[in-house]
């Protein structure tokens, strides 16, 4: 007998449907899985056989063939276990075929028959809903994540035996039935977002949120604890307001890492669209287990300097997102930037410019978003004390070699470059109040609102995303500001990219200063934080 059920997989951050076909025919007793499978999928045969036995379903002494289609795309993971088991049970006429008609099935089986959570549920269910699939069977642990998709009936089960009883007799023991309600597929891309509407009172309160709950959480670090670094705090505020990349270079112990850890507390909240996009990325990476469904806060990723290029950019046999994609819509913090391998740093060129990472494989191309704000910190020399020659004994050659690990193309893509000075004793013991995270956040939100209004008819959201074709439309600099910028371009080692990035940064300065026209003062501040003479000073050290 032949049967077919529907399962799914992820391709990049998007979902894809997979047909799971089963056939029982006379022959030697064997369970054969085909369809371009990795070892984790081929091992599903033994998991399914044992899970069915422990759930009181004995496989017939016949040849059982299971095919996962399309056969030209590699399948990976344990997401197909439940679909394989149910397809076989339909073949055995234990489950009526019509019960699983047009139903998506996802889940891993343990040997006891327990249905365990799997990765990538949100993009798969989202894709399925756009293809007229109205119901999904999945593990109880993935219920909150699947509940984000509107219009899909969700059947969440704890074990195989309970699920089969429900499909055969309607028994609800160990089975939760609900309906999703945040993501509304009203356009072709299926990307429009609406405020959650409660479709079923059985949905847990923490699974579905309304826009009022997308608020700030309490962060461990606050800007008020950073003493004597007002210019650095202003530079960080500019970076967050316009989503500009920033490099803090200075002596060890001057507060670079501390202020970087304060950045999440001053960033604007995620919109629903951004939350859904982030949740898709974290779902296929298996990082949504403790998030109660929707990712609510902007990510802050800080990989160690021993990170490989694959871990940073993404990849693998079946490519998964790397740190640059896990930092999407948030911060990628690289502490001690020169300590990273040079080839790893150079990998950042493309995502910093294109905001995406494309990984090509023989049978597929995987595209991951990577719109992150790079926050990097660096010491001035290997020992961290230059230019204080009382403490620094590094040779000129050592310092040059250390600083040359960061190439000009990477530096040119960093809008804000701060030279951080050691904090004097008087500043450390100053009792007068300084800008706190909440005060900085309010100023950033005001600048952010100006950008949202300005770019309401565009696809961009921040000043740093401005394309050259839009610069003349949205950047208006006073005559004095243009003269200052022209003089800087002609007298310094400023590239064309650097010229346009100063303009974008000046746009952010003007937004923070609450004015539409960019003045000479705004351009001067942008040039100060761009620090265009840094490369020249680095070449003239010692």
């Amino acid at each position: 007998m032949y049967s077919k059920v529907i399962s799914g997989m992820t391709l990049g951050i998007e979902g894809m449907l997979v047909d799971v076909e089963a056939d029982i025919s006379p022959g030697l007793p064997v369970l054969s899985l085909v369809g371009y499978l990795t070892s984790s999928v081929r091992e599903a045969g033994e998991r399914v056989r044992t899970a069915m036995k422990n759930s009181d379903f004995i496989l017939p002494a016949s040849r059982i063939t299971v095919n996962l289609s399309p056969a030209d795309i590699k399948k990976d993971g344990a997401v197909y276990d439940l679909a394989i088991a149910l397809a076989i049970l339909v073949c055995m006429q234990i489950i009526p075929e019509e019960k699983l008609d047009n139903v998506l099935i996802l889940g891993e089986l343990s040997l006891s028959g327990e249905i365990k959570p799997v990765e990538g549920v949100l993009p798969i269910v989202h894709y399925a809903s756009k293809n007229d699939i109205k119901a999904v069977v999945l593990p109880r642990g993935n219920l909150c994540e699947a509940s984000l998709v509107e219009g899909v009936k969700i059947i969440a089960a704890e074990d195989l035996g309970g699920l089969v009883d429900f499909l055969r007799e309607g028994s609800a023991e160990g089975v939760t039935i609900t309906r999703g309600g945040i993501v509304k597929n009203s356009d072709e891309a299926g990307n429009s977002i609406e405020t959650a509407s409660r479709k079923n009172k059985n949905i847990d309160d923490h699974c579905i949120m309304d826009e009022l709950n997308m608020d700030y959480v309490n962060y461990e670090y606050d800007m008020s604890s950073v003493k004597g670094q007002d210019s650095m705090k202003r530079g960080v505020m500019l970076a967050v307001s316009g989503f500009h990349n920033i490099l803090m270079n200075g002596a060890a112990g001057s507060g670079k890492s501390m202020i970087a850890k304060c950045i999440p507390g001053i960033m604007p909240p995620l919109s629903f669209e951004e939350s859904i996009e982030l949740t898709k990325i974290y779902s296929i990476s298996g990082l949504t287990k403790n998030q109660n469904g929707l990712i609510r806060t902007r990510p802050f990723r800080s990989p160690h300097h021993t990170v490989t290029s694959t871990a940073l950019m993404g990849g693998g046999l079946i490519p998964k997102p790397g740190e640059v994609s896990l930092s999407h819509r948030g911060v990628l913090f690289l502490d001690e930037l020169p300590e990273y391998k040079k080839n790893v740093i150079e990998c950042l060129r493309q995502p910093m410019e294109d905001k995406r990472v494309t990984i090509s494989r023989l049978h597929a191309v995987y595209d991951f978003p990577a719109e992150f704000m790079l926050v990097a910190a660096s010491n001035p020399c290997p020992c961290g004390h230059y230019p204080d020659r009382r403490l620094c004994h590094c040779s000129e050659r050592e310092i040059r070699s250390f600083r040359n690990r960061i190439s000009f193309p990477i530096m040119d893509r960093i809008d804000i470059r701060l030279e951080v000075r050691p904090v004097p004793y008087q500043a450390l013991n100053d009792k007068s109040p300084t800008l706190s995270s909440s005060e900085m956040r309010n100023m950033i939100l005001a600048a952010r609102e100006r950008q949202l209004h300005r770019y309401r008819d565009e696809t961009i959201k921040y000043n740093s995303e401005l394309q050259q074709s839009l610069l003349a439309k949205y950047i208006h600099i006073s005559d004095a500001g243009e003269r200052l910028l022209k003089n800087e371009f002609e007298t310094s080692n400023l590239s064309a990219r650097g010229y346009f990035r100063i303009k974008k940064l000046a746009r952010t300065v003007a937004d923070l200063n609450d004015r539409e026209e960019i003045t000479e003062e705004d351009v001067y501040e942008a040039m100060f934080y761009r620090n265009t003479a840094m490369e020249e000073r680095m070449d003239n050290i010692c």
Side-chain angles (χ1 to χ4, degrees):
M1 184 177 176
Y2 168 84
S3 70
K4 183 177 78 170
V5 299
I6 302 171
S7 188
M9 62 178 289
T10 55
L11 196 65
I13 65 166
E14 299 301 325
M16 179 179 176
L17 298 183
V18 174
D19 291 333
V20 179
E21 302 171 299
D23 180 79
I24 300 178
S25 56
L28 293 175
V30 64
L31 175 55
S32 176
L33 302 179
V34 296
Y36 197 17
L37 315 175
T38 63
S39 59
S40 63
V41 184
R42 288 195 296 269
E43 292 167 355
E46 292 304 315
R47 289 196 298 272
V48 168
R49 183 194 303 276
T50 308
M52 292 178 67
K53 175 182 70 69
N54 290 327
S55 301
D56 298 326
F57 305 112
I58 306 300
L59 289 178
S62 305
R63 181 177 183 84
I64 303 175
T65 304
V66 177
N67 177 49
L68 275 61
S69 175
D72 60 341
I73 297 179
K74 200 157 196 173
K75 323 298 187 307
D76 184 43
V79 68
Y80 311 104
D81 290 7
L82 184 58
I84 292 171
L86 295 183
I88 294 173
L89 289 169
V90 172
C91 273
M92 296 167 59
Q93 299 184 334
I94 293 176
I95 298 175
E97 186 175 5
E98 62 271 13
K99 292 289 187 178
L100 295 177
D101 185 35
N102 205 33
V103 175
L104 177 70
I105 303 167
L106 307 170
E108 176 186 349
L109 287 174
S110 71
L111 299 184
S112 65
E114 178 190 359
I115 303 175
K116 303 173 69 174
V118 293
E119 302 172 358
V121 165
L122 177 60
I124 298 173
V125 175
H126 189 197
Y127 180 84
S129 70
K130 293 188 292 181
N131 286 270
D132 299 323
I133 289 181
K134 301 302 182 183
V136 55
V137 174
L138 44 67
R140 180 66 176 83
N142 291 123
L143 174 59
C144 288
E145 190 177 341
S147 296
L148 301 175
V149 182
E150 186 188 49
V152 178
K153 179 182 178 182
I154 302 166
I155 303 167
E158 297 178 359
D159 59 78
L160 181 60
L163 176 60
V164 173
D165 289 342
F166 168 78
L167 294 174
R168 292 174 60 187
E169 304 165 3
S171 172
E173 185 177 354
V175 176
T176 302
I177 307 170
T178 187
R179 187 170 292 274
I182 285 186
V183 183
K184 182 179 179 181
N185 298 310
S186 61
D187 60 356
E188 292 183 1
N191 290 325
S192 68
I193 310 298
E194 71 170 4
T195 302
S197 58
R198 188 64 57 90
K199 299 296 182 182
N200 188 307
K201 296 299 182 181
N202 291 330
I203 299 179
D204 294 338
D205 289 339
H206 65 272
C207 293
I208 300 295
M209 301 178 304
D210 56 39
E211 192 166 4
L212 294 177
N213 290 331
M214 296 292 290
D215 207 347
Y216 297 100
V217 297
N218 292 322
Y219 291 97
E220 181 180 357
Y221 300 94
D222 193 279
M223 286 289 185
S224 60
S225 60
V226 179
K227 302 290 186 180
Q229 295 290 8
D230 292 341
S231 63
M232 184 163 67
K233 292 168 72 171
R234 171 72 175 182
V236 168
M237 189 160 59
L238 281 172
V240 174
S241 297
F243 222 65
H244 300 280
N245 299 320
I246 180 172
L247 169 66
M248 296 175 284
N249 181 74
S254 54
K256 303 185 295 295
S257 299
M258 175 69 176
I259 202 168
K261 293 174 183 177
C262 294
I263 290 178
I266 65 173
M267 299 191 81
L270 287 167
S271 66
F272 273 115
E273 182 182 6
E274 291 172 330
S275 292
I276 294 296
E277 193 175 20
L278 260 178
T279 305
K280 283 185 176 183
I281 297 172
Y282 277 67
S283 176
I284 64 177
S285 302
L287 300 175
T288 57
K289 293 182 177 61
N290 299 319
Q291 298 289 341
N292 291 330
L294 196 65
I295 302 293
R296 298 181 56 192
T297 57
R298 293 187 183 272
F300 182 89
R301 305 291 296 186
S302 181
H304 192 257
H305 67 262
T306 57
V307 67
T308 64
S309 57
T310 301
L312 186 67
M313 306 302 296
L317 183 63
I318 304 294
K320 292 292 183 73
E323 291 290 340
V324 295
S325 296
L326 296 174
S327 305
H328 184 61
R329 304 294 184 186
V331 173
L332 176 65
F333 178 45
L334 302 183
D335 200 5
E336 304 299 341
L337 183 62
E339 298 295 340
Y340 289 77
K341 294 180 181 178
K342 190 173 180 66
N343 69 304
V344 172
I345 298 175
E346 295 303 314
C347 284
L348 291 170
R349 290 192 193 185
Q350 188 232 347
M352 287 174 70
E353 202 72 30
D354 300 338
K355 310 301 182 183
R356 305 198 72 80
V357 173
T358 302
I359 300 172
S360 298
R361 291 293 183 265
L362 182 61
H363 293 285
V365 175
Y366 299 81
D367 197 35
F368 299 114
E371 192 172 330
F372 58 89
M373 187 180 91
L374 176 66
V375 178
S378 171
N379 287 336
C381 68
C383 76
H385 294 296
Y386 184 85
D388 188 349
R389 280 305 190 181
R390 295 172 302 171
L391 300 173
C392 176
H393 302 289
C394 301
S395 66
E396 178 180 351
R397 182 176 180 179
E398 289 173 331
I399 299 176
R400 285 183 181 277
S401 176
F402 183 76
R403 297 193 175 185
N404 283 339
R405 295 177 189 175
I406 308 174
S407 66
F408 177 80
I410 292 293
M411 287 291 294
D412 208 31
R413 287 170 167 82
I414 298 176
D415 296 343
I416 299 175
R417 308 155 185 181
L418 293 171
E419 291 197 46
V420 185
R421 305 293 183 185
V423 183
Y425 176 84
Q426 184 179 359
L428 286 175
N429 289 273
D430 188 0
K431 303 300 183 182
S432 58
T434 63
L435 274 176
S436 66
S437 289
S438 61
E439 292 171 324
M440 293 176 67
R441 186 167 59 233
N442 291 335
M443 298 169 68
I444 288 168
L445 284 174
R448 174 83 175 116
E449 287 298 320
R450 295 181 68 93
Q451 294 173 75
L452 287 174
H453 178 74
R454 181 184 302 121
Y455 306 129
R456 61 190 180 277
D457 298 326
E458 307 290 346
T459 58
I460 62 176
K461 299 178 180 180
Y462 296 96
N463 292 328
S464 61
E465 300 174 343
L466 271 171
Q467 302 170 351
Q468 284 185 224
S469 58
L470 298 175
L471 290 180
K473 181 178 180 180
Y474 293 112
I475 294 184
H476 307 288
I477 304 178
S478 66
D479 293 339
E482 283 286 2
R483 288 194 296 270
L484 180 62
L485 191 54
K486 178 183 177 183
N487 181 68
E488 179 69 14
F489 184 81
E490 292 176 346
T491 58
S492 67
N493 185 27
L494 191 63
S495 67
R497 181 191 289 114
Y499 168 76
F500 291 119
R501 285 182 176 267
I502 287 181
K503 279 192 165 186
K504 298 175 190 178
L505 185 56
R507 174 68 276 164
T508 302
V509 174
D511 286 340
L512 266 181
N513 293 333
D514 196 23
R515 47 183 173 236
E516 192 60 30
E517 184 182 47
I518 301 172
T519 66
E520 182 181 13
E521 291 79 10
D522 299 328
V523 174
Y524 184 83
E525 185 174 358
M527 288 165 44
F528 171 79
Y529 282 109
R530 172 75 182 183
N531 210 344
T532 54
M534 179 178 284
E535 291 89 353
E536 296 176 12
R537 287 195 295 273
M538 286 170 62
D539 290 338
N540 296 318
I541 59 175
C542 301

